[in-house]
Amino acid sequence: MVDGPELITVGQLARRVGLTAKALRHYDRVGLLTPAVVDRDTGYRFYGPEQVAHARLVQLLRSVDVPLEQVRACLAMSDDEAAIQQVLVRHRRRLQARLDRVRGDLHRTDHLIQDGLEAIMADQDTRQNATESAGDERRLAIDLFNGVWRLLEKEDRSIEDDDRMLHMAHASRYHWGQVGAPVNFSRGEWQCSRVYAVLGRAEPATYHARRGLELLQAHGIGDWDLAYAYESLARASAVAGEKEQARAWTEQALAAAEDIAQNEDRELVLSDLESIPAQPRFW
């Protein structure tokens, strides 16, 4: 048997750091968190007290879905908090891209529902002549809108990508203004606000978020469009460093979300609210 009062069993370590014994055994098998001692007779694993901090770091990083290889890298530089912060910043960007991908799919699905599959498929057949034959600003507005989502979904955008994304968002909003309905105008403003927020530009993000909300209020539009208008204002405020204002707008978004008809739409709004920078979940 293994002696030594300082050694910690799997169960003790699991309870101390908030992991399961099964997870600790898995992390041992993949070489992420190897026990200090394994009893030859029983096969029991024992950890040293200095491994508690590492186990806690693993638990924290895995709780926000940081990939195992990046957790491994963080353990190797556990004394360098700034380096770990950079890992988290990159991970957050990936999560945001994933969320934008889902929201982009939602918008593209809306267009499929509203425009009909046959119309869109017919347009795809003549895409090479889109500028002349599609002849329709609505198609152009949709393509630009979806193009912005594809760039938002890109994890390693260049400066040129950021520029293109911004110009496409404004171009989409312009074309919606020619052929769309008020709800399209508002969604265009929302997308402009989101792009500016992603780029860290608080003032234009706030401006477009307010315009989106004004359009909804002027035309009596509610449901998830209204909740998202408040979400965009909360995000813009957070980017500006206005934490109290961001929280106030988030509370408005939560109240509006209660009136959303579809559960899936409500869940999407709530997940977007959780991605607002520097705002811990309070609901």
Side-chain angles (χ1 to χ4, degrees):
M1 291 293 294
V2 174
D3 295 320
E6 291 187 349
L7 293 178
I8 304 168
T9 67
V10 169
Q12 290 170 332
L13 183 61
R15 288 190 295 273
R16 189 173 298 187
V17 302
L19 287 167
T20 65
K22 181 179 179 180
L24 286 171
R25 287 191 287 270
H26 172 66
Y27 295 148
D28 177 21
R29 285 193 296 271
V30 299
L32 183 68
L33 194 62
T34 304
V37 176
V38 177
D39 187 280
R40 292 182 178 179
D41 298 325
T42 64
Y44 291 163
R45 297 169 172 85
F46 295 89
Y47 297 83
E50 72 282 355
Q51 292 183 284
V52 173
H54 276 191
R56 186 166 288 122
L57 179 59
V58 170
Q59 188 276 331
L60 287 171
L61 294 175
R62 291 299 292 157
S63 72
V64 292
D65 205 27
V66 174
L68 282 178
E69 286 309 306
Q70 292 178 34
V71 174
R72 194 188 308 278
C74 288
L75 289 177
M77 53 188 180
S78 58
D79 294 331
D80 189 346
E81 186 173 343
I84 295 176
Q85 285 290 101
Q86 285 305 306
V87 170
L88 289 171
V89 168
R90 291 192 294 272
H91 178 61
R92 188 188 189 285
R93 186 168 184 175
R94 283 191 297 273
L95 291 177
Q96 184 64 62
R98 189 185 308 167
L99 182 61
D100 289 336
R101 189 174 302 120
V102 171
R103 183 165 167 76
D105 287 342
L106 176 65
H107 277 286
R108 287 188 284 271
T109 301
D110 284 343
H111 289 311
L112 289 174
I113 293 169
Q114 293 168 8
D115 297 341
L117 291 174
E118 290 186 8
I120 290 176
M121 291 172 69
D123 181 70
Q124 287 175 339
D125 290 338
T126 59
R127 184 59 61 95
Q128 286 183 315
N129 300 314
T131 304
E132 299 83 16
S133 66
D136 179 48
E137 284 189 281
R138 180 180 178 82
R139 183 70 251 162
L140 190 53
I142 292 171
D143 286 346
L144 287 165
F145 193 92
N146 291 340
V148 172
W149 279 116
R150 285 189 287 272
L151 286 169
L152 281 170
E153 294 163 7
K154 191 173 179 180
E155 295 179 11
D156 298 309
R157 288 188 309 274
S158 64
I159 294 176
E160 291 75 17
D161 288 333
D162 287 343
D163 288 343
R164 185 160 56 253
M165 178 173 67
L166 181 58
H167 296 319
M168 288 172 69
H170 279 287
S172 176
R173 171 64 183 91
Y174 168 78
H175 289 295
W176 278 126
Q178 304 306 301
V179 298
V183 68
N184 302 120
F185 307 160
S186 177
R187 291 176 185 177
E189 295 292 345
W190 179 92
Q191 190 179 67
C192 287
S193 179
R194 171 59 71 92
V195 168
Y196 278 116
V198 167
L199 298 179
R201 298 178 59 184
E203 190 278 328
T206 301
Y207 171 80
H208 289 287
R210 287 190 180 280
R211 283 295 298 131
L213 178 61
E214 290 167 0
L215 286 163
L216 295 177
Q217 292 174 333
H219 295 277
I221 300 169
D223 206 82
W224 65 278
D225 283 290
L226 182 60
Y228 260 113
Y230 290 127
E231 176 273 335
S232 65
L233 282 162
R235 189 176 299 274
S237 297
V239 171
E242 300 169 355
K243 293 184 178 180
E244 291 186 7
Q245 187 61 64
R247 181 177 176 122
W249 286 123
T250 299
E251 289 173 344
Q252 291 269 65
L254 290 169
E258 293 181 2
D259 295 327
I260 295 177
Q262 298 295 323
N263 291 335
E264 295 84 355
D265 291 344
R266 185 182 309 107
E267 288 302 316
L268 191 60
V269 172
L270 296 178
S271 65
D272 242 350
L273 289 172
E274 290 185 3
S275 74
I276 292 175
Q279 177 177 260
R281 176 173 175 148
F282 60 86
W283 58 94

Coordinates of all heavy atoms in Angstrom, one line a residue, residues 5 17 26 33 69 117 141 210 236 256 264:
P5 N 0.5 10.8 4.5 CA -0.7 11.5 4.8 C -1.0 12.6 3.8 O -2.1 13.1 3.7 CB -0.5 12.1 6.2 CG 1.0 12.1 6.3 CD 1.5 10.9 5.5
V17 N -12.0 19.7 -6.0 CA -11.9 20.6 -7.2 C -13.2 20.6 -8.1 O -13.2 21.4 -9.0 CB -10.7 20.3 -8.1 CG1 -9.4 20.3 -7.2 CG2 -10.8 18.9 -8.7
H26 N -10.0 9.6 -16.6 CA -9.8 9.8 -18.1 C -8.6 10.7 -18.3 O -7.8 10.5 -19.2 CB -11.1 10.5 -18.6 CG -10.9 11.0 -20.0 ND1 -10.8 10.1 -21.1 CD2 -10.9 12.2 -20.5 CE1 -10.7 10.8 -22.2 NE2 -10.8 12.1 -21.9
L33 N -3.5 14.8 -16.6 CA -3.3 15.0 -15.2 C -2.9 13.6 -14.6 O -3.8 12.8 -14.2 CB -4.5 15.5 -14.5 CG -4.4 16.1 -13.1 CD1 -3.5 17.3 -13.1 CD2 -5.8 16.5 -12.6
E69 N -6.2 19.8 -25.7 CA -4.8 20.1 -26.0 C -4.5 21.5 -25.5 O -3.3 21.8 -25.1 CB -4.6 20.0 -27.5 CG -4.5 18.6 -28.0 CD -3.5 17.8 -27.2 OE1 -2.3 18.2 -27.1 OE2 -3.9 16.7 -26.7
L117 N -38.1 27.6 -51.4 CA -37.0 26.9 -52.0 C -36.8 27.0 -53.5 O -35.7 27.1 -54.0 CB -37.1 25.4 -51.6 CG -36.9 25.1 -50.1 CD1 -37.2 23.6 -49.9 CD2 -35.5 25.4 -49.6
A141 N -29.4 41.8 -51.3 CA -29.4 42.1 -49.9 C -29.2 40.9 -49.1 O -28.4 40.8 -48.1 CB -30.7 42.8 -49.5
R210 N -29.5 51.4 -31.7 CA -30.6 52.3 -31.4 C -31.5 52.5 -32.6 O -32.8 52.5 -32.5 CB -30.1 53.7 -31.0 CG -29.5 53.7 -29.6 CD -29.2 55.1 -29.1 NE -28.7 55.1 -27.7 CZ -29.4 54.9 -26.6 NH1 -30.7 54.8 -26.7 NH2 -28.8 54.9 -25.4
A236 N -23.4 46.6 -27.3 CA -22.7 47.9 -27.6 C -22.2 48.6 -26.3 O -21.1 49.1 -26.2 CB -23.5 48.8 -28.4
A256 N -38.2 41.0 -22.9 CA -38.7 40.8 -24.2 C -38.7 39.4 -24.6 O -39.6 38.9 -25.3 CB -38.0 41.7 -25.2
E264 N -37.2 27.8 -29.4 CA -35.8 27.7 -30.0 C -35.3 29.2 -30.2 O -34.1 29.4 -29.9 CB -35.9 27.0 -31.3 CG -36.2 25.5 -31.2 CD -37.7 25.3 -31.2 OE1 -38.5 26.3 -31.2 OE2 -38.1 24.1 -31.2

